[in-house]
């Protein structure tokens, strides 16, 4: 884990039972196959479970090297408009993408943080960043933020790492569902016309879900 020499001087924070929180988060993550709903549930549940001020999830665009914001909870529009997050410019994210959780006690004074001025204006102080990994390959990062200097201990790091693993799996399943749905709609549109699909949303949704389940079980 990447951290700071002054971290041990900060007071320890209290947090809720992470076993219970993990169970609740897992139920929330798997409650939908719609990607937008999955992403929102991830950042909202993570913020609540870790009792932090904000959470952001970014997925990597390998062609551009940018980490695109996919979903966020607790950050203002002004902060989100600060500019693109690039792996070449953000040491925190590049370290996390290599599989190392990164804890920064104070982003206002840590040069690894890409947008320090924007963080000061937003009132952000401490950050914990871990990778989102699918089959051992990092596909993005998830960050949590606090507005006061905070210690993220090993329990916090392990909890967010496990949450990130569950989140990555949920994202993969949602993407699979979207791909199957798109293929299904294309086939049905070619055979019956779009009007047929629009008139039978319940039946089509049921078939889609069954198709995803059969695909995953095969």
């Amino acid at each position: 884990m990447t951290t700071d020499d002054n971290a041990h001087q900060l007071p320890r924070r209290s947090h809720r039972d992470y076993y219970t929180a993990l169970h609740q988060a897992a139920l929330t993550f798997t409650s939908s196959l719609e990607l937008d709903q999955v992403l929102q549930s991830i950042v909202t549940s993570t913020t609540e479970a870790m009792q932090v001020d904000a959470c952001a999830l970014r997925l990597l665009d390998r062609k551009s090297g940018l980490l695109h914001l996919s979903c966020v909870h607790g950050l203002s529009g002004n902060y989100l408009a600060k500019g693109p997050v690039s792996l070449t410019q953000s040491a925190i994210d590049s370290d996390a993408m290599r599989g190392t959780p990164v804890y920064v006690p104070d982003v206002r004074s840590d040069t690894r943080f890409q947008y320090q001025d924007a963080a000061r204006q937003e009132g952000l102080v401490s950050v914990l960043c871990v990778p989102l990994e699918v089959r051992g390959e990092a596909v993005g990062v998830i960050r949590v933020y606090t507005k006061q200097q905070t210690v993220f201990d090993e329990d916090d790091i392990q909890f967010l790492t496990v949450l990130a693993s569950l989140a990555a799996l949920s994202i993969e399943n949602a993407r699979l569902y979207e791909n199957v749905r798109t293929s299904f709609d294309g086939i049905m549109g070619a055979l019956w016309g779009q009007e047929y699909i629009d008139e039978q949303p319940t039946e089509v949704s049921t078939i889609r879900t069954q198709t995803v389940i059969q695909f995953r079980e095969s």
Side-chain angles (χ1 to χ4, degrees):
M1 177 189 70
T2 306
T3 184
D4 185 274
D5 292 338
N6 296 323
H8 68 280
Q9 299 175 2
L10 300 176
R12 296 290 175 181
R13 73 194 193 103
S14 60
H15 51 65
R16 59 189 288 189
D17 180 2
Y18 274 166
Y19 290 104
T20 301
L22 184 60
H23 174 69
Q24 293 174 345
L27 292 177
T28 303
F29 290 3
T30 57
S31 63
S32 174
L33 284 172
E34 298 291 340
L35 184 57
D36 289 345
Q37 294 179 14
V38 169
L39 292 171
Q40 188 60 55
S41 71
I42 289 169
V43 294
T44 301
S45 296
T46 301
T47 302
E48 294 173 352
M50 296 194 71
Q51 299 180 354
V52 293
D53 293 299
C55 178
L57 187 153
R58 291 181 179 271
L59 296 176
L60 177 64
D61 181 340
R62 297 196 180 279
K63 291 183 179 180
S64 65
L66 297 178
L67 285 161
H68 292 301
L69 183 67
S70 296
C71 210
V72 64
H73 180 82
L75 295 175
S76 72
N78 287 336
Y79 181 75
L80 298 178
K82 63 188 182 299
V85 175
S86 169
L87 282 182
T88 60
Q89 299 295 322
S90 177
I92 291 173
D93 293 306
S94 60
D95 284 349
M97 289 289 290
R98 286 193 288 268
T100 303
V102 179
Y103 161 48
V104 183
D106 194 338
V107 298
R108 300 167 299 183
S109 59
D110 195 314
T111 57
R112 295 174 299 167
F113 199 81
Q114 187 176 356
Y115 292 100
Q116 288 180 294
D117 289 341
R120 292 188 188 98
Q121 294 175 10
E122 187 74 4
L124 303 177
V125 181
S126 297
V127 171
L128 178 62
C129 180
V130 303
L132 290 163
E133 295 182 328
V134 176
R135 301 187 188 92
E137 181 180 10
V139 297
V141 297
I142 186 168
R143 287 186 183 185
V144 294
Y145 305 79
T146 62
K147 293 186 175 182
Q148 59 182 357
Q149 201 160 3
T150 302
V151 168
F152 290 110
D153 59 23
E154 287 302 319
D155 286 343
D156 299 313
I157 295 166
Q158 290 178 13
F159 177 71
L160 186 57
T161 299
V162 173
L163 272 187
S165 297
L166 290 174
L169 180 59
S170 298
I171 292 169
E172 184 182 29
N173 287 343
R175 282 176 165 175
L176 173 62
Y177 172 73
E178 284 197 344
N179 291 338
V180 171
R181 181 176 62 183
T182 300
S183 299
F184 181 87
D185 286 348
I187 294 171
M188 294 300 290
L191 291 176
W192 303 100
Q194 188 62 40
E195 183 177 336
Y196 173 86
I197 298 175
D198 293 338
E199 291 176 351
Q200 303 187 58
T202 302
E203 289 82 354
V204 170
S205 178
T206 300
I207 295 172
R208 287 172 181 162
T209 303
Q210 291 174 344
T211 303
V212 172
I213 293 172
Q214 291 172 357
F215 185 86
R216 290 177 61 189
E217 291 178 346
S218 61

